[in-house]
């Protein structure tokens, strides 16, 4: 039988492709370095590693905030009854003079004749697992997470018109039998709070059903269901809101030095009529003005509103509980710049080229930004100054300090930073920034507030907007901390590890307010929060420490996202109604934030795809050697320690895994581990696994290591066995090899087939 040359070529291409996948075999390499304590150079900021919290992907409402009821006040703009279902009664949303207050004007009118019920779904999932494909079934499936043995407090406001009968509230998980009897207010036509409670029998998902038995009409508003297990429950300082305990504990374990809040785009809004105002976020919950969330997507039914339950007071209190500094980000009297860009870029270019008059330019800007000097801008400036008083003024000295005390916190908060602008750039930003900057500086000097202003440098990793921003800042605002943002791919952070080595040292300093890396992988979650993206971020963070004189603060973003309800693909902590998923990126931040010294020491450790940073805390007599192994090799690393005196103990904390490894509900493949290191006199050594992030800790002098930081336990749902990541994955290098090799071979095969056909035709023609 004749052999088919085309089939043979295809087989060869497959063989070469398979070989390409496994070509990079793991080997063991030995490296060493000298670490001299006397060589310590720049100070590393004690505030270097913090957090960024924005209510995106249901991080606040539906996440960190313990409230289980979604659309509790019927205030969603596009669907007032979103996430509510009605059975055997007449229901309609109304607004007007009967509303509870001017900030909460919508309410639900019910007409009951016998037995009827109202069901709230809670904060539902929207997508198929690990995709962004909308799933209508999930969007209509109740998703409140009930926990066995936990008591839930129910409340709602009732305006009884002529209803007589009974009301109960109960969970709807399978087999539920518990309910809370809700007393009917005796006084009619007055808004009255009615309350009850029940204890869950199972740890299951469900909804909240409010059952009505009787006859008549009544109005209800501001429906609430919260667990007593939440952080802050029973604490006078958490007067209005409590926090989901497992999410709070995940933040606590990170030991953040600061928290950036509330955005992001959320700090601005998408319309001047709905411009973010901190004053809408404090005080009794039922009096807070709700608004649309900028991350909503109403066409697909992803209605997303902000109750501002995670308001400025709760934010300040959260910072205090965590021992973190508050770092508020305020807009400069303008909406989110991406709402009017790229039209803005074209208009700005026309104006600079003389194609628009000054009046035309200012009229255009005034459509999305308050004009400095206008009554609106002056009122907004006063709001910013009032926030300073709310945080810093002693109680009894002004109305805002008194309001803080009334809300549960008598003493001032520890506010040291204030951001003016988020991902802003260009003429409009600097037009609005300058007078606000001057007003804040003058007011702080007058009141004795020690607050550093943070400026914005656009959203670019590189380009004309960030370059121009830095030029203006270093000419006029060198006393600010410059907020840089970038979400990168294509190994950008690997390639730019020396970014801050090259910044000038005579200007402003840096705050990396939002950053995250994306590497190649499979699917939405895998290429965003896998082991290799964490490694890339860790490699870049060694540059933060090396440039501690310049980089003062940094925060990964975003922090939280609800599983299958996300608005952004890269998130440090994912959660469901019942579970929490800590990503490799989270564990990287945990290792760095809990293991960083106060001064940087240059060291000569070097190997291919290796990155390192050495810092020392001379007060505690602890040395931290961070080594990021981005290679497929095991690295046997040894460190000769000079001028440290007696070496008492050493250990390494690390995470490791194949490039694609990630965690998900029900499967943990990456988790931190601690092991002892080998000590030989003044030398310390450790074996560093392929694709790993390592922190070697050395305790010297009078520190015996007994008080060293220890790894926290995993959340209850993640405490099962850490499993090996076994899902199929092709590395980027192998994919390229397959593509190039296979492509070349297929082209050659096609050419051979064409040649054979042509040759056959020539023979046929000759025979004829």
């Amino acid at each position: 039988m004749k052999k088919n040359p085309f089939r043979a070529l295809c087989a060869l291409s497959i063989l070469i492709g398979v070989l390409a996948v496994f070509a990079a075999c793991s080997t063991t390499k030995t490296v060493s370095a000298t670490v001299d304590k006397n060589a310590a150079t720049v100070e590393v900021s004690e505030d270097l590693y913090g957090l960024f919290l924005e209510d995106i992907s249901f991080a606040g409402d539906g996440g960190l905030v313990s409230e289980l009821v979604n659309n509790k006040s019927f205030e969603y703009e596009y669907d007032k009854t979103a996430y509510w279902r009605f059975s055997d009664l007449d229901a309609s949303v109304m607004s007007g003079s009967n509303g509870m207050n001017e900030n909460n004007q919508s309410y639900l009118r019910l007409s009951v004749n016998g037995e009827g019920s109202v069901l709230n779904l809670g904060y539902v999932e929207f997508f198929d697992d690990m995709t962004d494909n909308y799933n209508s079934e999930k969007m209509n499936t109740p998703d409140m997470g009930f926990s066995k043995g936990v008591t839930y407090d129910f409340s709602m406001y009732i305006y009884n018109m002529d209803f007589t009968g009974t009301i109960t509230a109960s969970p709807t998980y399978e087999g539920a039998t518990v309910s809370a009897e809700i007393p009917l207010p005796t006084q009619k036509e007055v808004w009255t709070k009615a309350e009850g409670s029940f204890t869950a029998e199972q740890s299951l998902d469900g909804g909240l059903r409010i059952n009505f038995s009787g006859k008549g009409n009544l109005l209800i508003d501001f429906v609430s269901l919260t667990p007593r297990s939440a952080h802050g429950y029973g604490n006078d300082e958490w007067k209005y809101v409590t926090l989901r305990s497992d999410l709070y504990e995940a933040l606590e374990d990170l030991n953040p030095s600061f928290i950036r809040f509330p955005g992001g785009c959320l700090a601005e809004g998408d319309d001047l009529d709905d411009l973010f105002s901190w004053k809408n976020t404090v005080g009794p919950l039922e009096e807070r003005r709700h608004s649309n969330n900028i991350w909503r997507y109403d066409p697909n039914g992803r209605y997303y509103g902000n109750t501002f339950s995670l308001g400025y007071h709760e934010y300040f209190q959260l910072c205090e509980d965590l021992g973190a500094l508050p770092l508020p980000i305020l807009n400069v009297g303008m909406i989110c710049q991406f709402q009017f860009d790229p039209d803005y870029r074209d208009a700005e270019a026309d104006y600079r080229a003389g194609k628009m008059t000054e009046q035309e330019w200012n009229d255009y800007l005034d459509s999305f930004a308050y004009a400095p000097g206008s009554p609106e801008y002056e009122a907004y400036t006063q709001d910013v100054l009032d926030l300073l008083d709310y945080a810093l003024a002693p109680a009894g000295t002004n109305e805002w300090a008194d309001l803080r005390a009334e809300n549960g916190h008598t003493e001032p908060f520890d506010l040291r930073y204030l951001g003016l602008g988020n991902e802003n750039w260009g003429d409009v930003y600097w037009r609005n920034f300058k007078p606000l900057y001057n007003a804040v500086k003058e007011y702080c000097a007058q009141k004795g507030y020690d607050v550093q202003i943070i400026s914005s440098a656009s959203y670019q990793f590189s380009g004309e907007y960030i370059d121009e921003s830095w030029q203006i800042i270093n000419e006029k605002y060198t006393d600010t901390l410059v907020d840089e943002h970038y979400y990168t791919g294509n190994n950008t952070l690997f390639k730019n590890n020396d970014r801050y080595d090259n910044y000038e040292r005579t200007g402003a300093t840096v705050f990396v307010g939002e950053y995250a890396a994306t590497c190649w992988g499979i699917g939405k979650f895998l290429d965003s929060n896998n082991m290799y993206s964490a490694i890339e971020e860790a490699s870049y963070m060694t540059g933060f420490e090396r440039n501690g004189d310049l980089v003062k603060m940094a925060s990964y973003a975003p922090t939280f996202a609800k599983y299958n309800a996300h608005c952004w693909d890269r998130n440090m902590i994912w959660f469901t109604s019942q579970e929490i998923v800590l990503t490799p990126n989270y564990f990287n931040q945990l290792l760095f934030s809990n293991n960083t010294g106060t001064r940087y020491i240059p060291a000569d450790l070097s190997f291919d795809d290796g990155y390192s940073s050495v810092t020392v805390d001379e007060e505690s007599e602890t040395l931290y050697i961070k080594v990021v192994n981005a290679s497929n090799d095991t690295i046997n690393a040894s460190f000769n320690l000079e001028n440290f005196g007696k070496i008492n103990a050493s250990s390494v904390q690390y995470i490791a895994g194949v490039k694609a490894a990630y965690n998900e509900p029900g499967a943990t493949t990456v988790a931190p581990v601690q092991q002892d290191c080998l000590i030989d006199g003044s030398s310390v050594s450790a074996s560093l696994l392929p694709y790993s992030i390592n922190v070697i800790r050395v305790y010297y002098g009078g520190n015996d290591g007994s008080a060293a930081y220890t790894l926290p336990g995993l959340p209850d749902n993640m405490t099962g066995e850490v499993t090996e990541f076994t899902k199929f994955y092709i590395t980027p290098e192998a994919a390229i090899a397959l593509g190039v090799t296979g492509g070349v071979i297929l082209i050659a095969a096609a050419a051979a087939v064409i040649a054979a056909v042509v040759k056959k035709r020539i023979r046929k023609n000759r025979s004829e």
Side-chain angles (χ1 to χ4, degrees):
M1 184 177 72
K2 293 184 178 179
K3 292 184 178 179
N4 186 326
F6 181 72
R7 183 179 297 171
L9 286 170
C10 289
L12 179 60
S13 70
I14 293 172
L15 177 60
I16 293 175
V18 171
L19 290 174
V21 174
F22 297 102
C25 297
S26 177
T27 60
T28 299
K29 296 182 178 179
T30 299
V31 298
S32 63
T34 296
V35 179
D36 184 352
K37 184 164 74 73
N38 292 343
T41 56
V42 298
E43 291 186 1
V44 178
S45 170
E46 63 180 358
D47 300 330
L48 183 55
Y49 297 118
L51 292 171
F52 167 48
L53 286 182
E54 180 177 11
D55 202 342
I56 176 176
S57 303
F58 301 93
D61 287 329
L64 185 59
V65 174
S66 66
E67 177 63 67
L68 297 180
V69 176
N70 194 353
N71 190 17
K72 62 195 299 179
S73 293
F74 311 99
E75 298 288 342
Y76 277 21
E77 179 179 357
Y78 293 99
D79 184 356
K80 297 292 187 184
T81 59
Y83 310 110
W84 289 94
R85 302 293 182 264
F86 309 101
S87 300
D88 302 320
L89 47 69
D90 293 329
S92 59
V93 174
M94 307 182 71
S95 63
S97 59
N98 279 335
M100 290 182 60
N101 54 65
E102 63 179 357
N103 288 333
N104 186 2
Q105 296 188 357
S106 297
Y107 52 88
L108 187 69
R109 177 181 175 130
L110 300 175
S111 294
V112 184
N113 188 8
E115 304 286 335
S117 66
V118 175
L119 171 69
N120 188 264
L121 303 178
Y123 290 88
V124 300
E125 295 184 7
F126 292 94
F127 306 126
D128 293 333
D129 285 350
M130 305 185 88
T131 74
D132 54 6
N133 301 320
Y134 278 91
N135 184 314
S136 59
E137 182 179 353
K138 285 188 175 183
M139 294 167 70
N140 288 281
T141 300
D143 197 31
M144 295 179 181
F146 293 99
S147 298
K148 183 178 180 179
V150 172
T151 298
Y152 294 81
D153 291 333
F154 170 87
S155 66
M156 68 178 176
Y157 283 81
I158 299 175
Y159 184 99
N160 191 9
M161 303 173 73
D162 57 9
F163 175 76
T164 58
T166 61
I167 305 173
T168 61
S170 58
T172 66
Y173 54 77
E174 185 177 357
T177 62
V178 296
S179 64
E181 294 185 4
I182 309 303
L184 187 65
T186 56
Q187 188 175 3
K188 294 187 176 181
E189 299 188 348
V190 175
W191 284 106
T192 305
K193 188 175 184 179
E195 300 174 281
S197 63
F198 57 78
T199 301
E201 309 139 299
Q202 300 292 334
S203 294
L204 294 171
D205 291 344
L208 170 68
R209 178 172 286 117
I210 310 171
N211 307 286
F212 300 87
S213 179
K215 186 174 182 179
N217 303 282
L218 72 164
L219 315 178
I220 67 170
D221 201 357
F222 209 78
V223 183
S224 175
L225 186 69
T226 58
R228 293 184 183 177
S229 59
H231 175 79
Y233 181 83
N235 187 331
D236 291 341
E237 292 183 326
W238 290 91
K239 186 173 182 179
Y240 305 117
V241 179
T242 56
L243 306 180
R244 181 170 154 173
S245 57
D246 58 343
L247 300 188
Y248 171 81
E249 289 164 5
L251 299 183
E252 186 176 40
D253 287 341
L254 285 172
N255 188 28
S257 60
F258 67 88
I259 300 179
R260 184 179 186 269
F261 174 91
C265 297
L266 188 70
E268 301 157 320
D270 55 7
D271 190 284
L272 280 177
D273 292 334
D274 206 23
L275 193 68
F276 185 94
S277 170
W278 74 269
K279 291 180 179 178
N280 291 334
T281 76
V282 295
L285 293 181
E286 61 271 23
E287 297 177 10
R288 299 185 189 184
R289 179 187 169 192
H290 297 192
S291 76
N292 294 316
N293 189 297
I294 199 168
W295 297 101
R296 68 192 182 278
Y297 193 65
D298 299 309
N300 283 89
R302 187 177 68 193
Y303 306 114
Y304 195 173
N306 271 110
T307 68
F308 295 116
S309 296
L310 187 62
Y312 257 87
H313 186 87
E314 289 75 30
Y315 160 58
F316 286 138
Q317 188 61 56
L318 172 65
C319 289
E320 184 171 286
D321 285 8
L322 292 174
L325 294 173
L327 195 157
I329 298 294
L330 303 175
N331 64 72
V332 292
M334 59 187 281
I335 68 173
C336 175
Q337 198 153 351
F338 295 102
Q339 299 298 310
F340 53 84
D341 185 72
D343 292 342
Y344 169 76
R345 307 184 202 200
D346 297 335
E348 185 181 55
D350 287 346
Y351 169 67
R352 291 183 178 184
K355 297 178 182 179
M356 293 178 69
T357 67
E358 188 80 19
Q359 185 63 49
E360 289 173 332
W361 172 240
N362 284 323
D363 288 345
Y364 170 68
L365 297 184
D366 293 350
S367 67
F368 49 78
Y370 294 147
S374 68
E376 294 83 1
Y377 187 93
E378 295 305 311
Y380 181 75
T381 299
Q382 187 59 53
D383 284 349
V384 174
L385 303 182
D386 291 342
L387 177 63
L388 294 171
D389 283 340
Y390 185 91
L392 294 170
T397 60
N398 63 49
E399 63 174 308
W400 301 108
D402 290 345
L403 179 60
R404 181 194 68 234
E406 182 183 334
N407 289 336
H409 201 278
T410 304
E411 296 300 315
F413 290 109
D414 191 10
L415 178 64
R416 304 182 196 176
Y417 299 97
L418 188 71
L420 300 179
N422 170 72
E423 294 187 359
N424 298 131
W425 73 92
D427 293 350
V428 63
Y429 174 58
W430 298 113
R431 181 196 82 159
N432 278 40
F433 175 86
K434 180 179 178 179
L436 189 57
Y437 165 88
N438 289 333
V440 170
K441 293 279 289 183
E442 180 181 348
Y443 196 69
C444 286
Q446 173 191 333
K447 302 281 284 191
Y449 298 154
D450 186 10
V451 176
Q452 183 174 14
I453 294 174
I454 297 172
S455 56
S456 174
S458 88
Y459 63 95
Q460 292 182 323
F461 186 82
S462 60
E464 60 178 308
Y465 305 128
I466 189 172
D467 290 344
E468 181 182 76
S469 295
W470 267 102
Q471 180 180 351
I472 292 170
I473 291 167
N474 279 336
E475 287 175 358
K476 302 178 180 180
Y477 307 110
T478 55
D479 62 340
T480 66
L481 198 57
V482 184
D483 193 357
E484 292 191 350
H485 294 184
Y486 31 81
Y487 297 92
T488 65
N490 301 317
N491 295 326
T492 298
L493 299 187
F494 281 131
K495 297 172 184 175
N496 291 275
N497 182 267
D498 62 349
R499 174 185 179 88
Y500 296 114
D501 298 352
N502 303 315
Y503 272 44
E504 64 175 87
R505 261 46 184 183
T506 59
T509 51
V510 175
F511 167 37
V512 187
E514 298 183 32
Y515 73 97
T518 296
C519 75
W520 289 359
I522 307 169
K524 284 292 179 183
F525 290 7
L526 287 67
D527 65 4
S528 299
N529 290 120
N530 58 19
M531 186 65 210
Y532 205 54
S533 66
I535 286 172
E536 184 174 357
E537 289 152 10
S539 73
Y540 194 70
M541 292 162 70
T542 63
F544 294 165
E545 298 182 2
R546 183 171 65 252
N547 292 281
D549 59 325
L550 178 76
V551 182
K552 299 301 183 182
M553 308 171 97
S555 49
Y556 178 98
T559 296
F560 286 124
K562 178 158 186 178
Y563 190 71
N564 295 331
H566 52 285
C567 309
W568 195 259
D569 291 338
R570 285 161 281 191
N571 304 281
M572 187 163 56
I573 302 168
W574 294 84
F575 61 89
T576 69
S577 59
Q578 298 278 0
E579 297 181 310
I580 181 172
V581 177
L582 305 178
T583 65
N585 313 74
Y586 171 91
F587 292 128
N588 170 52
Q589 296 289 330
L590 180 140
L591 292 178
F592 269 69
S593 62
N594 286 288
N595 293 294
T596 298
T598 57
R599 295 180 70 197
Y600 178 79
I601 301 177
D604 54 356
L605 182 71
S606 179
F607 60 94
D608 291 341
D609 298 317
Y611 306 84
S612 63
S613 169
V614 181
T615 60
V616 62
D617 185 333
E618 293 173 293
E619 182 177 349
S620 69
E621 297 182 301
T622 307
L623 177 68
Y624 301 96
I625 304 172
K626 297 185 176 76
V627 184
V628 181
N629 181 8
S631 76
N632 192 37
D633 299 317
T634 298
I635 304 298
N636 288 332
S638 62
F639 301 90
N640 180 40
L641 309 181
E642 295 185 354
N643 297 306
F644 286 90
K646 182 183 178 184
I647 306 303
N648 301 311
S650 179
S651 62
V652 58
Q653 294 181 344
Y654 69 90
I655 56 173
V658 297
K659 284 184 175 182
Y662 65 94
N663 297 330
E664 61 181 318
T668 301
T669 63
V670 176
V673 176
Q674 178 172 323
Q675 293 179 343
D676 289 338
C677 295
L678 180 64
I679 300 174
D680 183 7
S682 61
S683 177
V684 171
S685 59
S687 181
L688 313 178
L689 296 174
Y691 304 122
S692 62
I693 300 167
N694 309 269
V695 183
I696 299 168
R697 296 100 52 81
V698 180
Y699 311 100
Y700 65 91
N703 185 354
D704 63 3
S706 59
Y709 165 75
T710 57
L711 293 170
L714 295 178
D716 290 343
N717 65 278
M718 293 183 69
T719 54
E721 181 183 358
V722 177
T723 59
E724 183 180 358
F725 184 85
T726 57
K727 297 190 177 182
F728 180 72
Y729 174 73
I730 299 178
T731 66
E733 298 81 4
I736 292 173
L738 278 170
V740 172
T741 305
V744 169
I745 292 175
L746 288 175
I747 291 172
V753 171
I754 292 171
V757 171
V758 171
K759 188 174 181 180
K760 183 177 181 180
R761 179 60 58 87
I762 292 173
R763 287 176 178 173
K764 182 178 180 182
N765 290 339
R766 286 177 178 175
S767 66
E768 291 176 349

